[in-house]
């Protein structure tokens, strides 16, 4: 008796889900399980083995999941076809609004590459996020008279502003700060990376 495999399916519109399937089941059964899991229509979508959808999974009653070179834990990508009449159209031929992707200008919203088949959505940032992105966010320190040997306009190791994620500063507070704010955490992740 063969053990169930877990096949992960990721979609831009529907998120990620796990599908339990036996290696001997046909790819048609896998398609039916994906359809019921994501509540999809009969046509207008397909599964691919990679993000670029260069290796589409064929829907066949004669080919098993194992015959399609899938294994336990593999991830498949679900793409919705954009044209209304044809289910065989590739996701890279048209965009969400119907214009060809080659003539569509790229937007500068922080996400420069658009996943093939995913709708071209522009992300609107909150006003507070835009404001906090412009702020330096460093913790200002006063000049230490005992340790600093420079003038009023200079900075040294003892009085230079600290990053908001500095461990020694977070532990020195009373009570100690256990958790970073979201923007401090993002700055920690992006520290040393050019914008």
């Amino acid at each position: 008796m063969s053990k169930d495999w877990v096949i992960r399916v990721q979609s831009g519109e529907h998120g990620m889900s796990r599908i339990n399937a036996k290696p001997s089941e046909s790819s048609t059964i896998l398609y039916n399980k994906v359809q019921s899991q994501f509540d999809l229509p009969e046509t207008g979508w397909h599964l691919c083995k990679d993000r670029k959808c260069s290796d589409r999974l064929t829907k066949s009653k004669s080919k098993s999941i194992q015959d399609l070179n899938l294994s336990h834990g593999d991830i498949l990508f679900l793409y919705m076809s954009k044209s209304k009449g044809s289910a065989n159209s590739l996701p890279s031929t048209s965009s969400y609004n119907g214009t060809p992707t080659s003539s569509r200008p790229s937007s500068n919203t922080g996400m420069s590459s658009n996943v093939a088949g995913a709708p071209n959505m522009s992300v609107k940032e909150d006003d507070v996020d835009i404001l906090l992105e412009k702020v330096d966010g460093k913790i200002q320190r006063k000049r230490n008279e005992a340790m600093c040997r420079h003038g009023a306009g200079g900075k040294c190791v003892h009085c230079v502003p600290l990053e908001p994620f500095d461990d020694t500063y977070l532990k020195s507070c009373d009570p100690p700060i256990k958790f970073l704010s979201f923007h401090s955490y993002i700055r920690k992740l992006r520290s040393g990376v050019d914008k």
Side-chain angles (χ1 to χ4, degrees), residues 42-60:
E42 289 286 329
T43 60
W45 60 277
H46 54 273
L47 297 172
C48 298
K49 293 182 183 178
D50 59 353
R51 288 186 190 275
K52 295 180 182 175
C53 200
S54 60
D55 192 7
R56 286 177 69 166
L57 215 65
T58 57
K59 189 174 183 179
S60 170

Side-chain angles (χ1 to χ4, degrees), residues 6 22-23 30 44 59 80 89 103 142 173 180 188 190:
V6 174
K22 295 191 183 311
L30 177 66
K59 189 174 183 179
M80 303 298 288
S89 66
S103 65
K142 295 181 181 175
C173 292
L180 293 174
K188 182 178 181 179
R190 291 184 5 194

Side-chain angles (χ1 to χ4, degrees), residues 136-139 161-167 169-170 177 179-181 183-185 187-188:
D136 184 17
K138 295 191 176 186
I139 301 164
L162 296 173
E163 293 291 339
F165 50 84
D166 186 54
D167 286 334
Y169 174 77
L170 296 175
I177 300 172
F179 303 105
L180 293 174
S181 70
H183 287 278
S184 296
Y185 177 71
R187 285 182 193 265
K188 182 178 181 179

Side-chain angles (χ1 to χ4, degrees), residues 14-161:
H14 302 96
M16 173 91 71
S17 184
R18 295 179 182 179
I19 307 292
N20 292 326
K22 295 191 183 311
S24 58
E25 290 179 347
S26 69
S27 63
T28 305
I29 294 173
L30 177 66
Y31 264 82
N32 292 339
K33 287 182 177 183
V34 170
Q35 179 184 359
S36 64
Q37 181 76 24
F38 289 104
D39 195 27
L40 297 170
E42 289 286 329
T43 60
W45 60 277
H46 54 273
L47 297 172
C48 298
K49 293 182 183 178
D50 59 353
R51 288 186 190 275
K52 295 180 182 175
C53 200
S54 60
D55 192 7
R56 286 177 69 166
L57 215 65
T58 57
K59 189 174 183 179
S60 170
K61 290 183 180 179
S62 61
K63 285 191 176 183
S64 69
I65 296 173
Q66 200 166 16
D67 293 339
L68 295 171
N69 294 328
L70 291 177
S71 61
H72 175 67
D74 279 354
I75 185 166
L76 298 175
F77 299 94
L78 171 67
Y79 290 107
M80 303 298 288
S81 298
K82 300 302 175 209
S83 62
K84 293 178 185 175
S86 170
N88 295 328
S89 66
L90 290 175
S92 59
T93 57
S94 64
S95 70
Y96 183 69
N97 59 5
T99 59
T101 55
S102 59
S103 65
R104 184 178 62 222
S106 63
S107 59
N108 294 330
T109 59
M111 297 173 63
S112 59
S113 63
N114 190 13
V115 176
N120 183 19
M121 294 183 208
S122 60
V123 178
K124 171 129 175 46
E125 289 189 33
D126 290 336
D127 294 335
V128 69
D129 291 332
I130 295 170
L131 180 71
L132 287 174
E133 186 68 32
K134 295 177 185 175
V135 176
D136 184 17
K138 295 191 176 186
I139 301 164
Q140 299 296 326
R141 296 192 292 177
K142 295 181 181 175
R143 184 172 180 262
N144 188 341
E145 296 295 329
M147 301 180 121
C148 296
R149 306 260 186 249
H150 53 78
K155 297 284 183 186
C156 69
V157 176
H158 305 290
C159 60
V160 72

